[in-house]
Amino acid sequence: MLTDTDKEFLSLTATVTAGYQLFFFLIAAVFQFDKLTDFAGSTNFVIIALLTLVKKGSWHLRQVVLTAMIVIWSTRLALYLFFRILRWGEDKRYDRMRHNVGNLAVFFIFQGLWVWTVTLPVTVVNASDKDPSIQAEDIIGWIMWFVGTIVEILADKDKFSFKNSPESKGKWCEIGLWKYSRHPNYFGDILLTWGYFVASLPIIEGAEWLVLIGPVFLTLLLLFVSGLTILEKSGDKKFGNVEAYRVYKKRTSPLIPLPRSIYGNLPYWFKAVFLFEFPIYNRYLYRNR
């Protein structure tokens, strides 16, 4: 069962997250202003991580490291997304929500769930009185977070440079890491989120395994709801009639970075089973043809 402290911390983080997202939802709905939408999600992570660490006050090494991981990643993401929206002026992802309060509300609900579930490992670890010595799971989780964060940073840098190049108009991004994955930023995000979970394994027991919800929710969200599905559909509608684009999709992994010489020669069943090349990512490509 969950301890009383677990329940207290989970209730606290759920309440804070709901209130924080509601505040920014009202700003976006009343003023039709979406430049703070991503900022609201990213900074929410910082609040939850620091709040639970300070409230418990144990300052165990594992708690400090896991909190620092959340803060470093989310602060970088918040600054990047805020700078990007200021530079580009608008985000086309929000076109359908900008004048539709219902769609906007659904977005903020999912954003709140994203924040609350992904921070479950740090919430439970920071709430715990247990402090076992550093174990293999800690090190593996920290490495996963580090690699995932670096991949996400490099992918964002490559994409930003591509978008700001005059030569990119009418093209799809396949520079840097994007040469090996169609969505390397999402790969990095999924990897580092699973890193949080792995790093919490020495602490969790019994009902505390609910922290597994975090990486599972994020993975399913990016694979089937707000990430790959939407972007693959958009790309197929834009470039589906271009032969070079169809070759690019066939030879480039959708998520896990792999050399094209390897991925392009793998059988489709292997890609679908082990490398996330699901049929839904190509349905609009075939429809265009």
Side-chain angles (χ1 to χ4, degrees):
M1 294 179 63
L2 293 172
T3 66
D4 290 338
T5 306
D6 286 334
K7 295 176 182 177
E8 178 188 357
F9 273 57
L10 291 172
S11 298
L12 174 64
T13 55
T15 302
V16 170
T17 299
Y20 196 69
Q21 294 306 310
L22 176 61
F23 173 73
F24 282 99
F25 163 72
L26 293 175
I27 292 177
V30 173
F31 299 103
Q32 295 187 357
F33 183 74
D34 55 29
K35 287 183 171 58
L36 294 177
T37 306
D38 284 326
F39 183 81
S42 305
T43 53
N44 202 158
F45 284 96
V46 178
I47 293 172
I48 295 302
L50 293 179
L51 175 64
T52 53
L53 178 69
V54 173
K55 179 174 174 56
K56 184 64 176 180
S58 300
W59 303 97
H60 298 153
L61 176 61
R62 181 178 289 103
Q63 295 173 335
V64 173
V65 171
L66 198 52
T67 299
M69 287 160 58
I70 290 275
V71 171
I72 291 171
W73 166 74
S74 55
T75 300
R76 198 286 309 180
L77 184 63
L79 293 174
Y80 167 72
L81 293 175
F82 188 60
F83 176 76
R84 188 183 70 175
I85 194 66
L86 290 180
R87 181 67 178 269
W88 291 355
E90 65 176 12
D91 193 327
K92 292 183 179 179
R93 292 177 302 164
Y94 304 129
D95 287 347
R96 291 186 299 175
M97 299 184 292
R98 197 169 287 117
H99 305 293
N100 188 312
V101 175
N103 288 341
L104 191 64
V106 170
F107 172 85
F108 274 94
I109 289 171
F110 270 95
Q111 181 160 267
L113 288 172
W114 168 54
V115 173
W116 189 75
T117 57
V118 169
T119 54
L120 283 175
V122 72
T123 298
V124 171
V125 168
N126 284 351
S128 178
D129 292 318
K130 300 189 289 288
D131 185 29
S133 59
I134 299 302
Q135 301 176 21
E137 292 92 334
D138 294 291
I139 305 301
I140 294 171
W142 299 347
I143 292 173
M144 290 172 66
W145 172 85
F146 180 77
V147 173
T149 301
I150 294 300
V151 168
E152 188 177 60
I153 290 173
L154 293 177
D156 286 343
K157 173 182 173 295
D158 292 336
K159 189 64 171 287
F160 191 80
S161 298
F162 173 79
K163 285 285 190 179
N164 284 283
S165 171
E167 300 176 356
S168 69
K169 188 175 182 179
K171 298 180 180 178
W172 54 92
C173 183
E174 49 180 332
I175 64 172
L177 287 176
W178 299 80
K179 188 184 302 180
Y180 307 102
S181 168
R182 304 202 298 268
H183 305 282
N185 55 333
Y186 291 149
F187 170 75
D189 200 6
I190 290 172
L191 181 62
L192 67 88
T193 300
W194 280 96
Y196 297 140
F197 165 71
V198 173
S200 71
L201 288 176
I203 294 295
I204 63 175
E205 60 182 12
E208 291 175 341
W209 274 87
L210 67 83
V211 303
L212 182 60
I213 295 173
V216 171
F217 178 79
L218 185 277
T219 302
L220 295 177
L221 187 69
L222 292 182
L223 288 179
F224 302 113
V225 182
S226 70
L228 275 71
T229 305
I230 293 176
L231 293 178
E232 290 288 321
K233 175 182 176 181
S234 175
D236 289 355
K237 286 186 173 181
K238 288 180 182 177
F239 309 112
N241 290 320
V242 180
E243 178 62 27
Y245 174 78
R246 294 197 293 269
V247 172
Y248 151 77
K249 287 201 68 173
K250 183 178 179 180
R251 298 182 59 214
T252 310
S253 169
L255 188 66
I256 303 173
L258 289 171
R260 290 178 175 177
S261 58
I262 295 177
Y263 186 81
N265 291 310
L266 293 173
Y268 179 76
W269 69 265
F270 187 91
K271 296 177 182 179
V273 174
F274 298 107
L275 299 175
F276 307 102
E277 188 68 88
F278 302 124
I280 57 173
Y281 300 153
N282 293 303
R283 58 182 176 176
Y284 288 94
L285 179 70
Y286 299 138
R287 192 173 299 176
N288 263 11
R289 294 189 65 183

